[in-house]
Amino acid sequence: MSYWLYYWPSIPGRGEFVRLALEEAGAEYVDVGRDQGAGAVADMISRGGHFAPPILADAHESASHVAHILAWVSRPLELAPHDDRDFRRMHQIQLTVTDFVAEIHDTHHPLGPGLYYDEQKEAAARRSASFIDARLPKFLDYFEGVLSRNPDSDEWSVGRRCTTLDLSLFLVMRGLYYAFPNALAEIDTPALDELTRRVAKRRRIAAYLDSERCIDFNEDGIFRRYPELDRPNP
Ligand SMILES: N[C@@H](CCC(=O)N[C@@H](CS)C(=O)NCC(=O)O)C(=O)O
């Protein structure tokens, strides 16, 4: 099965959640934005009736929204739990990841995506402070609980094997350590840290992280390093 991934070429962004799943599964895919540029992504948004990327297509259909795409492909890619109830729980938690990612984005764009960061720095500082005080620990504590209370595995979040949700939590933790290293240093996340190490060592993920296909976080994406939004250096 071949896939076509449509996402903005210059950032990992939300496209990375889908890319990681394709990479871990060893799936054949074309990264259309990287191969053909942003124009091809914009064209697919309107042609496919989508609102925003990432968009994933196969020969028959296309889908947008990270959580919806992962619900679609996680079973064919063998990155889903076998049990239906576990599958639904995985999707539910993935939707919480969606909420978390939106809040992470809003730390640097609290007034909306129509203004540059430089035009909303004051609001971003206030938003980030309350994010770090309340929302960051609340989300991380929730995901810690998901990992440490899985009755079927000490390693994975739902069911017995690595799923698209584990790959998403891996990406979120890497992004947070990039954007908010000082804030993260104040929060205990042993299960998430262990998961991040475990995923990074998986054969295909390690090869991907080492490849040119994997681009670094940068200040156009979701996870941005603005030291003034983080806790001060210890
Ligand atoms: N809920 C969507 C959000 C999609 C989204 O916000 N995409 C961004 C890039 S990461 C975009 O290009 N948005 C354009 C827009 O909102 O106009 C998802 O989870 O995939």
Side-chain angles (χ1 to χ4, degrees), residues 101-225:
V101 169
E103 293 200 24
I104 294 165
H105 171 271
D106 288 353
T107 58
H108 49 79
H109 274 76
L111 304 182
L115 297 173
Y116 289 108
Y117 169 64
D118 280 350
E119 298 173 292
Q120 46 186 315
K121 279 175 103 164
E122 259 178 52
R126 290 187 65 187
R127 180 70 183 249
S128 297
S130 74
F131 172 78
I132 289 170
D133 283 344
R135 303 297 286 174
L136 180 65
K138 181 170 180 177
F139 274 107
L140 293 180
D141 185 57
Y142 171 73
F143 295 126
E144 276 288 308
V146 167
L147 276 165
S148 50
R149 282 186 230 115
N150 178 4
D152 297 316
S153 163
D154 294 334
E155 299 191 334
W156 308 114
S157 52
V158 178
R160 293 190 166 80
R161 63 180 180 177
C162 178
T163 66
T164 49
L165 174 62
D166 297 303
L167 302 176
S168 295
L169 292 173
F170 163 75
L171 177 60
V172 166
M173 289 309 288
R174 281 170 67 92
L176 288 171
Y177 273 111
Y178 173 77
F180 297 107
N182 297 341
L184 267 259
E186 293 175 2
I187 306 172
D188 233 16
T189 51
L192 285 162
D193 292 340
E194 193 47 53
L195 175 80
T196 305
R197 282 191 285 274
R198 190 175 301 121
V199 171
K201 283 193 213 141
R202 287 178 79 77
R203 182 175 57 83
R204 285 183 176 139
I205 294 293
Y208 167 67
L209 295 175
D210 218 23
S211 75
E212 285 183 357
R213 299 189 302 286
C214 177
I215 62 173
D216 293 337
F217 295 116
N218 61 54
E219 281 53 62
D220 292 319
I222 293 165
F223 300 99
R224 301 188 186 193
R225 176 69 187 142

Side-chain angles (χ1 to χ4, degrees), residues 7-8 11 13-15 45 51-54 64-67 69 98 113 222:
Y7 193 70
W8 307 125
I11 56 171
R14 287 179 174 88
I45 295 172
F51 182 76
S64 50
H65 290 279
V66 170
I69 294 169
T98 298
I222 293 165

Side-chain angles (χ1 to χ4, degrees), residues 37-58:
V41 179
D43 179 54
M44 181 57 174
I45 295 172
S46 49
R47 195 159 42 87
H50 298 285
F51 182 76
I55 299 162
L56 189 72
D58 68 6

